Amino acid sequence: MHPIILAQHEEVEMTTLSDGRVPGSPKLDAAESSSAVATLRDLLKLNTAFFLLGLENNALYVVILSAAQDLLPTDVPTGLILFANIAPALLIKVGWPYLVPGRVRYSRRVASCSLISFIGIIVVALFDSLDMRLLGIALASLSSGLGEMTYLQLSTAYGRDELGSQAVGWFASGTGAAGLVGALLWWLLRGLGIKLGLSITSLIPLGMALTFFVLLPQPHLFASHTSSQTTAYTSIPTADEDLQTLQAESMPVYSTLAGKRVVLSLSQKLALARPLVLPYMIPLFVVYLAEYTINQGVAPTLLYPVPTAQQSWIWSHIIHHLSDYYPLWQLVYQTFVFFSRSSISIFRIPPLPKRLIPLPSLAQVALLGIALLESTRGILTSTFGRHARTSVVAVVALEGLSGGLAYVNVFHRLGLEEAENSSGVAVSPESRIAQREFSIACVGFADTSGILAASLLSAWLQPRLCAYQVEHGRTLCREL
């Protein structure tokens, strides 16, 4: 169905009633009207809920990667875990926005994601066979991909202004925190064994459902705020009972002013996606391709002799075995991913202008080049000598900053940006919100496909880097 564009609705579209509603939106009683003003408590709950949703949705992804060596037989490459942990999410992000018609049923989606993720991690925990564990990981990946898409779409229900920006920013911050929390959680639980340790992590999907159904405030509580910022979006009936109960399918999230829900056709979706390829999708793909190639393909070969106290008092207390280097690089990386993904929400750093969105991707490619040169030529070692380890920490930190900045700024801009309208005729508010909801969903496949491509490239690159080092007399990669 094409968006409803009726000239006779143009006046109605911009008209508000005395209680802050526009014609066609649900009427609020006196109690609901007084509660529609966003309070500081409402804002705190909104930010906390989106932060927790980001953390809970991505934490199991990190736990599974952290537990990769514990989950696989010794003769199976850990890259298989990364593939199983990312491929289903990619299929969801590529296919779902285009092929699944109709409105987003948020309650049904969140309940499904929580259940699928719970089943997936339980399967991984209880079964010892490789096939069953990979199946469980794939289920958890499917849930994570659908969940990330859903929560980014959900942020559009809070408007195209400061509220929507906060929702995206705090969700991104939560996904950054998931790296630290997930890695730390498995570090603490791995001593309990696979079955008990992973069974405990199965509580995370239940927490995600509680966050959505109990903590997250409904969009209509911010109706007054939204109307004061952008009248065009107050006509959306966001007092959606679908955010409260699983039995709300009869109530549309989007209703046009004529009472019909907006359904974008495939041709409309493709038209909306095309302008997003160059400014958003390509930068996201490139930054994640370079980022995960560093992490999975190059970082395992960035090894140095174990330092003594005489050589470096600090490093001798951090590195005790060659196998300590890679976890250290990952810890530094995850820490700075959290900082950068929290740049807009926690640190209140202004977002990048749209024209500068490609900068983190270019920086990431340069960092990949530096990491490759250090692995093959020892460029940092020859330049900084005994401080080469510290210089690698700086490279990995910048890598985390670049990746996180690309992610948070792309989705922040998508949440604020209007879809192009070349017709010159007014588009209904419901059509605009449906367009923004689709746009923020369709871009998500770019980062996931970059990670998948990096996993395949890294599986080829790492052994060749190690072989090159051995040929030139550097044998540490064989001594792990």
Side-chain angles (χ1 to χ4, degrees):
M1 181 189 299
H2 290 275
I4 293 182
I5 306 174
L6 298 176
Q8 61 265 37
H9 285 163
E10 290 183 37
E11 247 181 58
V12 177
E13 187 179 282
M14 301 303 295
T15 303
T16 59
L17 301 180
S18 59
D19 61 0
R21 298 182 298 112
V22 300
S25 62
K27 183 172 178 59
L28 304 178
D29 59 28
E32 289 173 320
S33 179
S34 64
S35 67
V37 180
T39 66
L40 182 61
R41 183 174 175 228
D42 294 327
L43 291 172
L44 179 61
K45 289 173 66 177
L46 176 73
N47 295 340
T48 302
F50 269 95
F51 178 85
L52 290 176
L53 289 172
L55 190 156
E56 292 158 343
N57 186 70
N58 285 34
L60 283 183
Y61 169 82
V62 179
V63 167
I64 289 171
L65 288 183
S66 301
Q69 289 184 329
D70 301 312
L71 293 173
L72 293 174
T74 55
D75 58 340
V76 178
T78 55
L80 184 61
I81 291 289
L82 178 60
F83 183 85
N85 211 12
I86 202 67
L90 176 61
L91 292 176
I92 285 291
K93 291 182 179 182
V94 170
W96 194 288
Y98 296 94
L99 302 179
V100 177
R103 64 186 176 85
V104 179
R105 291 180 167 92
Y106 288 106
S107 296
R108 183 177 289 182
R109 272 209 203 169
V110 173
S112 299
C113 287
S114 300
L115 180 60
I116 293 170
S117 187
F118 174 80
I119 293 173
I121 203 68
I122 288 296
V123 168
V124 178
L126 298 185
F127 290 88
D128 295 325
S129 72
L130 178 60
D131 290 343
M132 290 301 294
R133 284 184 172 176
L134 291 176
L135 173 62
I137 291 169
L139 288 174
S141 170
L142 185 151
S143 169
S144 177
L146 182 59
E148 182 177 23
M149 183 175 67
T150 297
Y151 299 130
L152 287 170
Q153 289 179 303
L154 178 61
S155 69
T156 65
Y158 293 85
R160 187 176 55 85
D161 55 16
E162 180 64 21
L163 283 176
S165 172
Q166 285 191 42
V168 171
W170 283 97
F171 177 80
S173 178
T175 62
L180 292 175
V181 172
L184 177 61
L185 184 61
W186 183 245
W187 180 266
L188 296 175
L189 295 177
R190 67 194 301 261
L192 301 177
I194 292 292
K195 285 185 170 56
L196 181 56
L198 288 183
S199 294
I200 292 174
T201 66
S202 68
L203 296 175
I204 295 175
L206 303 181
M208 184 166 65
L210 287 174
T211 299
F212 178 83
F213 289 105
V214 177
L215 179 62
L216 182 68
Q218 295 183 63
H220 77 82
L221 293 175
F222 303 95
S224 294
H225 173 85
T226 306
S227 64
S228 69
Q229 297 291 328
T230 171
T231 305
Y233 284 92
T234 57
S235 61
I236 300 163
T238 51
D240 179 16
E241 293 179 7
D242 193 40
L243 296 177
Q244 291 182 313
T245 173
L246 286 174
Q247 299 175 344
E249 284 74 34
S250 60
M251 180 178 180
V253 177
Y254 306 119
S255 298
T256 65
L257 297 175
K260 297 179 181 177
R261 63 192 177 100
V262 172
V263 178
L264 300 176
S265 67
L266 180 59
S267 61
Q268 287 175 307
K269 291 178 178 180
L270 292 174
L272 287 170
R274 275 192 288 270
L276 305 177
V277 173
L278 186 60
Y280 298 128
M281 295 186 190
I282 291 178
L284 265 188
F285 175 84
V286 171
V287 81
Y288 276 90
L289 174 63
E291 185 172 332
Y292 274 78
T293 300
I294 295 173
N295 289 343
Q296 304 296 323
V298 186
T301 68
L302 298 179
L303 301 168
Y304 305 90
V306 176
T308 63
Q310 290 75 23
Q311 293 170 330
S312 173
W313 182 85
I314 295 177
W315 280 106
S316 66
H317 283 77
I318 298 174
I319 301 296
H320 304 285
H321 309 280
L322 284 176
S323 59
D324 292 337
Y325 280 108
Y326 184 71
L328 175 63
W329 307 150
Q330 293 307 298
L331 176 62
V332 172
Y333 161 76
Q334 296 289 2
T335 301
F336 282 86
V337 166
F338 169 68
F339 288 156
S340 56
R341 289 198 179 193
S342 303
S343 58
I344 294 176
S345 57
I346 295 178
F347 302 110
R348 311 302 293 172
I349 297 174
L352 292 174
K354 183 178 178 180
R355 68 181 184 279
L356 298 182
I357 291 290
L359 277 185
S361 302
L362 297 175
Q364 202 74 300
V365 172
L367 292 169
L368 172 59
I370 293 172
L372 283 169
L373 286 173
E374 172 61 6
S375 178
T376 55
R377 305 291 182 181
I379 184 174
L380 297 178
T381 301
S382 60
T383 303
F384 298 102
R386 63 189 181 92
H387 299 295
R389 300 178 187 87
T390 304
S391 65
V392 171
V393 168
V395 169
V396 172
L398 290 173
E399 174 208 349
L401 288 176
S402 298
L405 285 175
Y407 181 94
V408 71
N409 279 280
V410 162
F411 287 108
H412 171 81
R413 286 292 164 193
L414 280 169
L416 298 179
E417 192 169 89
E418 284 277 16
E420 291 186 6
N421 177 21
S422 58
S423 66
V425 183
V427 179
S428 69
E430 292 76 13
S431 295
R432 285 197 294 269
I433 197 71
Q435 290 168 355
R436 288 195 301 116
E437 186 183 68
F438 167 76
S439 296
I440 206 168
C442 76
V443 170
F445 92 95
D447 59 346
T448 309
S449 57
I451 296 172
L452 183 63
S455 69
L456 300 175
L457 176 60
S458 298
W460 171 87
L461 180 63
Q462 181 186 348
R464 282 160 179 79
L465 289 177
C466 182
Y468 182 89
Q469 290 180 353
V470 171
E471 288 175 7
H472 290 76
R474 298 161 59 192
T475 61
L476 293 179
C477 64
R478 297 284 194 226
E479 299 172 17
L480 285 170

